[in-house]
Amino acid sequence: MTELPPEIVARLTRTARLLEPMAQLWEETTLLTDRQREAVDELTRRLADNYPYGDVRYIGQILKPPHPVAWISYAAASLINPNNHALDAGPATSAMEKEVVGDIAEMFGMPQHLGHLTSSGTIANLEALYVARELAPDTVVVSSQAAHYTHGRMSQLLGVTHETIPQDRLGKMDLDALEARLEGGGVGTIVATLGTTSLGALDPVDEIVTLARRYEARVHVDAAYGGFHTLLATTDPCVDPRPFHALPHVDSIVVDPHKHGLQPYGCGSILFSDPTVGRFFAHDSPYTYFTSSELHLGEISIECSRAGAAAAALWATLRALGLDRDGLGEVLSKGRQAAVMIADSVRGSETARLVAEPELDIVCTYAASGSTSEVSRRSESAFKRLQSLGWHVAKLQVNSEWLATADEALIVDSDQTTVLRCCVMKPEHLVVAEEFASTLVDALAPSGSCI
């Protein structure tokens, strides 16, 4: 079992104790009883059972600590504990939420919008599909084979028929398959993904919008992972700008600030291009919405209670860094550069192969081998070798036939193949990219020469 290093656990314990006198706002200091203090100490010991998400050698899942400004701001606001459901429960943080949602809409180039923060990308996508159902009842929602599983689950929850469109060799939605399904009729909403959580692939939103308009379907973009990379698609783009430039023409967008927005979990967001869809959320309450004639965020959302601290943290972070190419964009660009460097090393090696060219900051690779079962075995071995050296990556299951379409030498002898997945999402990864790439390539070699 991987645990946090002892020095990090000790630092966490000291931090928790330092927070004690600051843990409430209405008294000058906080005095815990011995039992309460022991509970906090036990908590920090239990938290040792975590992977070192903040370590630069952690390149596994979509996890990293929040920005210090976000953490401080969340902690400060949580001492008041506002609720952004109604203005009397969170007037200051509700205003901040409206401001940051407006900033995000401007980043996407939406000429008008209605939106708010959510507790997760799942809830944000649920709201998008709920509106899709209300606008186009008894129609089908389609998403790519590589799209997040939440769309199928949320469609089932809403009683909506969901269908899957095959992915192409790059992990994007297959446009020919999409058009064939649209020709069959009955599709009300197309879910396009900007940044699949497996490969970081970008569905061709620009071409999807063109098809959707031809067949009178709506377009919802799940940009939970890749949405903030819009900042890298403008001046001197280091990502494909075409799908991002189409965002002003879609019907709804989801983006998760708790991924590349440097926020604590959970903080998602949903934006609609048509403000009138707020009518689908309208409801009465016997004890809220009376303190102001202004819009209460609870009147345009499915969720009721939501942490105002999440809005405060995002608002302060974007004010501190700037929601532009030189601010948050510069943070994201370093991860993108690191991913390109790692991909270049893999591409130039004789022992490793790329699953697909990385479009954002996720790099997936596998061992050059004779068969898919051997690839899986070598991936498992490399995963352990890397972990023994302090590097933490993730594993990904892919369809073997799909993988072999770009590797003619690969013999398919299994349904699924295990490959290695690396989320290069910390700016510090740029510093260690060459070292990691070399270690990764060696770990995938037959002899395991990295040991």
Side-chain angles (χ1 to χ4, degrees):
M1 180 180 296
T2 299
E3 292 191 347
L4 297 179
E7 63 273 17
I8 297 299
V9 177
R11 189 179 305 162
L12 180 63
T13 301
R14 292 196 301 271
T15 300
R17 289 173 180 170
L18 288 171
L19 290 172
E20 180 181 331
M22 300 176 283
Q24 65 172 326
L25 193 61
W26 313 116
E27 300 289 342
E28 186 62 30
T29 60
T30 303
L31 294 177
L32 300 183
T33 65
D34 289 343
R35 180 177 179 179
Q36 292 167 345
R37 195 172 290 113
E38 288 172 2
V40 174
D41 287 345
E42 183 179 357
L43 166 70
T44 58
R45 290 193 297 271
R46 294 285 295 271
L47 288 174
D49 185 18
N50 273 296
Y51 286 86
Y53 308 121
D55 193 297
V56 69
R57 292 171 298 177
Y58 184 87
I59 312 183
Q61 302 294 348
I62 306 170
L63 291 165
K64 62 180 179 181
H67 192 279
V69 169
W71 183 84
I72 293 168
S73 302
Y74 195 104
S78 67
L79 288 174
I80 302 171
N81 204 23
N83 179 350
N84 275 17
H85 177 66
L87 286 173
D88 61 331
T93 50
S94 290
M96 292 176 192
E97 180 168 337
K98 293 175 185 178
E99 289 177 35
V100 295
V101 170
D103 292 340
I104 294 171
E106 183 178 354
M107 176 185 73
F108 288 138
M110 301 180 80
Q112 58 181 358
H113 74 278
L114 180 78
H116 59 88
L117 301 182
T118 64
S119 60
S120 68
T122 298
I123 296 299
N125 279 305
L126 172 63
E127 291 201 11
L129 295 181
Y130 164 67
V131 168
R133 185 192 71 180
E134 298 304 294
L135 288 172
D138 302 318
T139 61
V140 174
V141 171
V142 299
S143 63
S144 167
Q145 182 181 3
H148 199 277
Y149 58 80
T150 192
H151 302 293
R153 292 178 67 192
M154 295 302 101
S155 294
Q156 183 179 20
L157 179 65
L158 292 165
V160 172
T161 301
H162 172 267
E163 296 179 13
T164 299
I165 303 297
Q167 63 179 337
D168 66 15
R169 179 57 194 87
L170 299 177
K172 307 168 185 282
M173 183 181 288
D174 186 305
L175 291 177
D176 290 337
L178 173 62
E179 184 164 18
R181 178 60 190 87
L182 290 171
E183 287 176 349
V187 175
T189 301
I190 305 167
V191 177
T193 304
L194 272 187
T196 60
T197 50
S198 54
L199 301 177
L202 304 173
D203 281 346
V205 180
D206 48 332
E207 297 180 74
I208 290 172
V209 167
T210 299
L211 284 174
R213 298 302 173 249
R214 185 184 307 163
Y215 291 94
E216 299 183 342
R218 303 178 74 258
V219 178
H220 166 58
V221 176
D222 181 1
Y225 188 80
F228 285 108
H229 285 82
T230 301
L231 301 171
L232 306 185
T234 52
T235 307
D236 299 323
C238 59
V239 297
D240 184 354
R242 293 171 296 179
F244 294 98
H245 289 174
L247 292 178
H249 310 294
V250 305
D251 297 288
S252 54
I253 306 173
V254 161
V255 63
D256 277 358
H258 65 224
K259 291 187 172 72
H260 284 100
L262 312 180
Q263 298 304 293
Y265 282 99
C267 184
S269 65
I270 173 67
L271 297 96
F272 297 97
S273 63
D274 178 9
T276 68
V277 300
R279 68 187 184 276
F280 298 123
F281 298 96
H283 62 279
D284 294 322
S285 169
Y287 54 87
T288 54
Y289 311 145
F290 297 119
T291 59
S292 174
S293 59
E294 293 184 35
L295 177 70
H296 298 257
L297 292 167
E299 297 180 281
I300 56 167
S301 64
I302 287 178
E303 294 176 277
C304 293
S305 297
R306 290 185 302 108
L314 180 57
W315 182 90
T317 304
L318 297 186
R319 292 304 178 275
L321 297 181
L323 189 57
D324 52 34
R325 179 62 177 82
D326 295 328
L328 179 59
E330 183 60 23
V331 176
L332 302 187
S333 71
K334 292 179 180 179
R336 171 61 180 157
Q337 292 174 59
V340 171
M341 290 174 62
I342 295 167
D344 287 344
S345 294
V346 171
R347 195 184 307 104
S349 77
E350 296 182 357
T351 63
R353 300 285 183 269
L354 289 171
V355 175
E357 288 292 332
E359 294 196 275
L360 297 178
D361 54 9
I362 297 178
V363 182
C364 295
T365 183
Y366 64 98
S369 181
S371 68
T372 56
S373 60
E374 177 64 12
V375 167
S376 294
R377 190 191 68 77
R378 298 253 296 269
S379 292
E380 296 285 353
S381 176
F383 179 85
K384 295 176 182 177
R385 292 172 187 165
L386 289 167
Q387 191 173 74
S388 72
L389 295 171
W391 295 99
H392 301 274
V393 300
K395 292 180 282 189
L396 172 68
Q397 293 279 315
V398 299
N399 179 274
S400 296
E401 294 283 357
W402 173 80
L403 183 64
T405 56
D407 189 344
E408 296 180 355
L410 194 60
I411 299 170
V412 177
D413 63 353
S414 61
D415 293 333
Q416 298 289 311
T417 304
T418 301
V419 300
L420 297 183
R421 171 173 165 269
C422 310
C423 294
V424 195
M425 61 188 303
K426 301 186 186 79
E428 297 83 5
H429 283 149
L430 184 58
V431 178
V432 300
E434 290 186 3
E435 177 189 357
F436 171 69
S438 175
T439 307
L440 174 65
V441 168
D442 285 346
L444 287 166
S447 61
S449 59
C450 65
I451 294 179

